[in-house]
Amino acid sequence: MKSKILFILSLLFGLMFINAGLNKFLNYMPMPEDMPESMIKVMVAYTTIVWLMPLVAVVEIVGGILIIIPRFRALAAIMVLPITVGILLTHIFNEPSGLPIALVFFAVNVWLLFECREKYIPMLK
């Protein structure tokens, strides 16, 4: 039962990252009209660094695909951890209304890391 729940969460988590990465390239989801001024400044800063958003998009797409594949889940969980932390910090400091979703994303990422902990042990020795 635990493995089925882990697979379903990994599938949804991976698909969300694939969707977010593709949106950075294709812009098919509109930006909210009522975005706070602080978030607008953050988004302008992100887009000022020309290479940053394409890099994040590629990591999101590749990480999302790899999270779905059980063999590569440990690698993908490490790959998307900085992005998940960035999402969490952005919502803590700039847009608290999205904090519940950011906390769920972070919790899923931490759970995936915990489930793959035996694969990380050789790196720590």
Side-chain angles (χ1 to χ4, degrees):
M1 183 68 168
K2 181 179 163 183
S3 64
K4 289 180 183 179
I5 292 172
L6 182 65
F7 175 74
I8 291 170
L9 273 178
S10 299
L11 178 66
L12 294 173
F13 192 65
L15 289 174
M16 289 226 217
F17 270 103
I18 293 168
N19 182 45
L22 288 175
N23 185 53
K24 285 177 182 58
F25 285 124
L26 305 175
N27 296 318
Y28 53 85
M29 291 189 301
M31 295 296 269
E33 297 287 330
D34 59 343
M35 199 173 354
E37 185 68 31
S38 62
M39 278 302 292
I40 293 173
K41 288 179 183 178
V42 169
M43 297 312 281
V44 168
Y46 287 160
T47 55
T48 301
I49 306 170
V50 179
W51 55 267
L52 183 62
M53 282 310 197
L55 175 66
V56 171
V58 167
V59 171
E60 285 177 342
I61 294 168
V62 172
I65 291 169
L66 293 179
I67 271 189
I68 296 171
I69 304 168
R71 180 176 180 182
F72 299 110
R73 195 168 288 149
L75 172 64
I78 291 286
M79 281 176 61
V80 298
L81 181 64
I83 294 171
T84 309
V85 170
I87 292 168
L88 184 64
L89 292 175
T90 298
H91 285 289
I92 287 172
F93 293 111
N94 294 317
E95 183 55 37
S97 67
L99 191 56
I101 299 293
L103 286 171
V104 169
F105 259 56
F106 186 70
V108 170
N109 201 172
V110 168
W111 188 38
L112 290 173
L113 289 167
F114 180 76
E115 288 297 320
C116 299
R117 67 188 176 277
E118 68 275 352
K119 293 182 181 178
Y120 305 131
I121 291 173
M123 291 189 307
L124 301 174
K125 288 188 177 188

